[in-house]
Amino acid sequence: MTAMHDQFDTLARMYEDMFRLPWRRHLEKHSVLSALGSFGDRAVLDVGCGTGVYTREVRRRGAARVTGYDVSEGMVARARLIERGEPLGIEYSTEPPDPATDCYDLALGVYVLPYAEDYRSLVNVCAAAGRVLRPGGLFVTLPVNPDYDGRRDYYARYGFRLWDAEPRADASRVTLELAFGPYHEKITARHWSRTTLERALAEASFTDVTWLDFQVAPQGVQEHGREFWAPYLCCPHASLITCRKK
Ligand SMILES: C[S@@+](CC[C@H](N)C(=O)[O-])C[C@H]1O[C@@H](n2cnc3c(N)ncnc32)[C@H](O)[C@@H]1O
């Protein structure tokens, strides 16, 4: 059987282009970077870095050392290719960092929790950050919003559709259909309840779990108007969680 993350091996280009969508550029990125705070002198780990869109952003914003970790060979190959063309000193790996030799101040994991197929994998992906963060280190992560709007067209104006492929329960399948530019792809993600996400984070040695609201950057409001953002802000498809290593 194919693992959930194998579906990403051939989707590198689409994930890069997706970053141009207003929802990612003006809302998600703005909110994630605000949640992470300042980067000066910090070592940052990007778990499930994909092609490294956030990894590069964090490095350009002044992080002292940045590592991208992703299980997908295809995603990491693309990230390394970009690094060769525009060297930023980022290391990419398909292996999680080793706590015996590595330590980080900040970690992010954007849309990686939704690809854990069972509870143990959910804990493990959180622990990939938890094991190497220093005590008090911040982890910012975005699972599927446990209360997302399951009506098929609710998020269509943002370039995607999302619906329950089976009744909503822990690890139940959620279909994400990405339809923008030349792309039309279906991806299978997993629903995790609020309680289970918090339990998994606690088991991966995190505390102070906080569920933040998304915010739109002023440029996003200027370009698209408040009306455009209202449905997303009212019921986002993702949740924005911060927590701290014990
Ligand atoms: C939806 S993509 C998001 C990529 C990137 N964070 C972004 O925001 O563009 C999810 C990524 O998580 C990776 N992934 C899934 N499970 C993982 C795991 N257990 N450990 C590390 N990476 C994982 C996938 O290979 C894929 O590249």
Short mmCIF file of all heavy atoms in Angstrom, two decimals, residues 160-181:
data_model
loop_
_atom_site.label_atom_id
_atom_site.label_comp_id
_atom_site.label_asym_id
_atom_site.label_seq_id
_atom_site.Cartn_x
_atom_site.Cartn_y
_atom_site.Cartn_z
N PHE A 160 -9.45 25.89 -4.02
CA PHE A 160 -9.51 24.47 -3.61
C PHE A 160 -10.90 24.12 -3.09
O PHE A 160 -11.72 25.00 -2.79
CB PHE A 160 -8.45 24.16 -2.55
CG PHE A 160 -8.64 24.87 -1.23
CD1 PHE A 160 -9.36 24.29 -0.20
CD2 PHE A 160 -8.11 26.14 -1.03
CE1 PHE A 160 -9.54 24.94 1.01
CE2 PHE A 160 -8.29 26.81 0.18
CZ PHE A 160 -9.00 26.21 1.20
N ARG A 161 -11.15 22.84 -3.04
CA ARG A 161 -12.36 22.31 -2.42
C ARG A 161 -11.94 21.28 -1.39
O ARG A 161 -10.90 20.64 -1.54
CB ARG A 161 -13.26 21.62 -3.46
CG ARG A 161 -13.86 22.56 -4.46
CD ARG A 161 -14.84 21.82 -5.37
NE ARG A 161 -15.63 22.75 -6.13
CZ ARG A 161 -15.23 23.31 -7.25
NH1 ARG A 161 -14.04 23.03 -7.75
NH2 ARG A 161 -16.00 24.16 -7.89
N LEU A 162 -12.78 21.10 -0.38
CA LEU A 162 -12.44 20.18 0.71
C LEU A 162 -13.72 19.51 1.18
O LEU A 162 -14.71 20.20 1.41
CB LEU A 162 -11.83 21.02 1.85
CG LEU A 162 -11.13 20.32 3.00
CD1 LEU A 162 -9.87 19.64 2.51
CD2 LEU A 162 -10.76 21.34 4.08
N TRP A 163 -13.69 18.18 1.27
CA TRP A 163 -14.88 17.51 1.78
C TRP A 163 -14.52 16.21 2.50
O TRP A 163 -13.43 15.67 2.31
CB TRP A 163 -15.89 17.24 0.66
CG TRP A 163 -15.43 16.31 -0.41
CD1 TRP A 163 -15.53 14.96 -0.43
CD2 TRP A 163 -14.78 16.67 -1.65
NE1 TRP A 163 -15.00 14.45 -1.59
CE2 TRP A 163 -14.54 15.48 -2.36
CE3 TRP A 163 -14.38 17.88 -2.24
CZ2 TRP A 163 -13.92 15.46 -3.60
CZ3 TRP A 163 -13.77 17.86 -3.49
CH2 TRP A 163 -13.54 16.67 -4.15
N ASP A 164 -15.43 15.75 3.33
CA ASP A 164 -15.22 14.50 4.07
C ASP A 164 -15.42 13.33 3.11
O ASP A 164 -16.50 13.19 2.53
CB ASP A 164 -16.26 14.37 5.20
CG ASP A 164 -16.05 15.44 6.27
OD1 ASP A 164 -14.90 15.75 6.58
OD2 ASP A 164 -17.06 15.94 6.80
N ALA A 165 -14.38 12.50 2.99
CA ALA A 165 -14.51 11.31 2.14
C ALA A 165 -15.17 10.18 2.93
O ALA A 165 -15.59 9.18 2.36
CB ALA A 165 -13.15 10.87 1.63
N GLU A 166 -15.22 10.33 4.24
CA GLU A 166 -15.91 9.38 5.11
C GLU A 166 -16.34 10.15 6.37
O GLU A 166 -15.89 11.27 6.58
CB GLU A 166 -15.01 8.18 5.44
CG GLU A 166 -13.63 8.55 5.93
CD GLU A 166 -12.65 7.37 5.87
OE1 GLU A 166 -12.86 6.42 5.10
OE2 GLU A 166 -11.66 7.43 6.60
N PRO A 167 -17.23 9.59 7.17
CA PRO A 167 -17.73 10.34 8.33
C PRO A 167 -16.58 10.84 9.20
O PRO A 167 -15.60 10.13 9.42
CB PRO A 167 -18.59 9.32 9.07
CG PRO A 167 -19.00 8.35 8.02
CD PRO A 167 -17.87 8.27 7.03
N ARG A 168 -16.72 12.07 9.65
CA ARG A 168 -15.63 12.73 10.38
C ARG A 168 -15.36 12.04 11.72
O ARG A 168 -16.23 11.95 12.57
CB ARG A 168 -15.99 14.20 10.61
CG ARG A 168 -14.83 15.14 10.41
CD ARG A 168 -15.24 16.60 10.54
NE ARG A 168 -15.74 17.18 9.30
CZ ARG A 168 -15.91 18.48 9.10
NH1 ARG A 168 -15.61 19.33 10.06
NH2 ARG A 168 -16.38 18.92 7.95
N ALA A 169 -14.14 11.54 11.88
CA ALA A 169 -13.66 10.90 13.11
C ALA A 169 -12.15 10.97 13.05
O ALA A 169 -11.60 11.28 11.99
CB ALA A 169 -14.11 9.44 13.16
N ASP A 170 -11.47 10.67 14.16
CA ASP A 170 -10.01 10.72 14.10
C ASP A 170 -9.48 9.85 12.97
O ASP A 170 -9.90 8.69 12.83
CB ASP A 170 -9.42 10.26 15.44
CG ASP A 170 -9.34 11.44 16.42
OD1 ASP A 170 -9.29 12.59 15.97
OD2 ASP A 170 -9.33 11.17 17.64
N ALA A 171 -8.58 10.42 12.17
CA ALA A 171 -7.92 9.75 11.03
C ALA A 171 -8.86 9.51 9.85
O ALA A 171 -8.46 8.83 8.89
CB ALA A 171 -7.25 8.45 11.44
N SER A 172 -10.08 10.05 9.88
CA SER A 172 -10.96 9.86 8.72
C SER A 172 -10.41 10.64 7.53
O SER A 172 -9.74 11.67 7.68
CB SER A 172 -12.39 10.30 9.05
OG SER A 172 -12.43 11.67 9.33
N ARG A 173 -10.70 10.12 6.33
CA ARG A 173 -10.16 10.73 5.12
C ARG A 173 -10.93 11.99 4.73
O ARG A 173 -12.16 12.02 4.79
CB ARG A 173 -10.21 9.73 3.97
CG ARG A 173 -9.15 8.66 4.09
CD ARG A 173 -9.27 7.63 2.96
NE ARG A 173 -8.20 6.67 3.03
CZ ARG A 173 -8.16 5.66 3.90
NH1 ARG A 173 -9.14 5.47 4.76
NH2 ARG A 173 -7.13 4.83 3.91
N VAL A 174 -10.13 12.97 4.32
CA VAL A 174 -10.67 14.24 3.85
C VAL A 174 -10.08 14.44 2.45
O VAL A 174 -8.89 14.25 2.26
CB VAL A 174 -10.18 15.39 4.78
CG1 VAL A 174 -10.59 16.73 4.24
CG2 VAL A 174 -10.66 15.19 6.20
N THR A 175 -10.91 14.78 1.48
CA THR A 175 -10.38 15.00 0.14
C THR A 175 -10.14 16.48 -0.08
O THR A 175 -11.02 17.31 0.15
CB THR A 175 -11.36 14.47 -0.94
OG1 THR A 175 -11.59 13.09 -0.68
CG2 THR A 175 -10.79 14.64 -2.34
N LEU A 176 -8.93 16.78 -0.51
CA LEU A 176 -8.56 18.15 -0.86
C LEU A 176 -8.39 18.18 -2.37
O LEU A 176 -7.55 17.45 -2.91
CB LEU A 176 -7.23 18.52 -0.16
CG LEU A 176 -6.57 19.83 -0.58
CD1 LEU A 176 -7.43 21.02 -0.22
CD2 LEU A 176 -5.19 19.96 0.09
N GLU A 177 -9.20 18.98 -3.04
CA GLU A 177 -9.10 19.10 -4.49
C GLU A 177 -8.53 20.47 -4.80
O GLU A 177 -9.13 21.49 -4.45
CB GLU A 177 -10.48 18.95 -5.12
CG GLU A 177 -10.45 19.00 -6.63
CD GLU A 177 -11.85 18.96 -7.22
OE1 GLU A 177 -12.66 19.86 -6.87
OE2 GLU A 177 -12.15 18.06 -7.99
N LEU A 178 -7.36 20.47 -5.43
CA LEU A 178 -6.71 21.73 -5.77
C LEU A 178 -6.97 22.01 -7.24
O LEU A 178 -6.63 21.18 -8.10
CB LEU A 178 -5.21 21.63 -5.48
CG LEU A 178 -4.91 21.48 -3.99
CD1 LEU A 178 -3.61 20.77 -3.73
CD2 LEU A 178 -4.91 22.85 -3.30
N ALA A 179 -7.58 23.13 -7.51
CA ALA A 179 -7.93 23.47 -8.90
C ALA A 179 -7.58 24.92 -9.13
O ALA A 179 -8.33 25.83 -8.74
CB ALA A 179 -9.41 23.20 -9.14
N PHE A 180 -6.42 25.14 -9.71
CA PHE A 180 -6.00 26.51 -10.04
C PHE A 180 -4.97 26.41 -11.17
O PHE A 180 -4.29 25.40 -11.32
CB PHE A 180 -5.41 27.23 -8.82
CG PHE A 180 -4.15 26.62 -8.28
CD1 PHE A 180 -2.90 27.10 -8.68
CD2 PHE A 180 -4.19 25.55 -7.41
CE1 PHE A 180 -1.72 26.53 -8.20
CE2 PHE A 180 -3.02 24.96 -6.93
CZ PHE A 180 -1.78 25.45 -7.33
N GLY A 181 -4.87 27.46 -11.98
CA GLY A 181 -3.96 27.47 -13.13
C GLY A 181 -4.10 26.17 -13.91
O GLY A 181 -5.23 25.72 -14.18
#
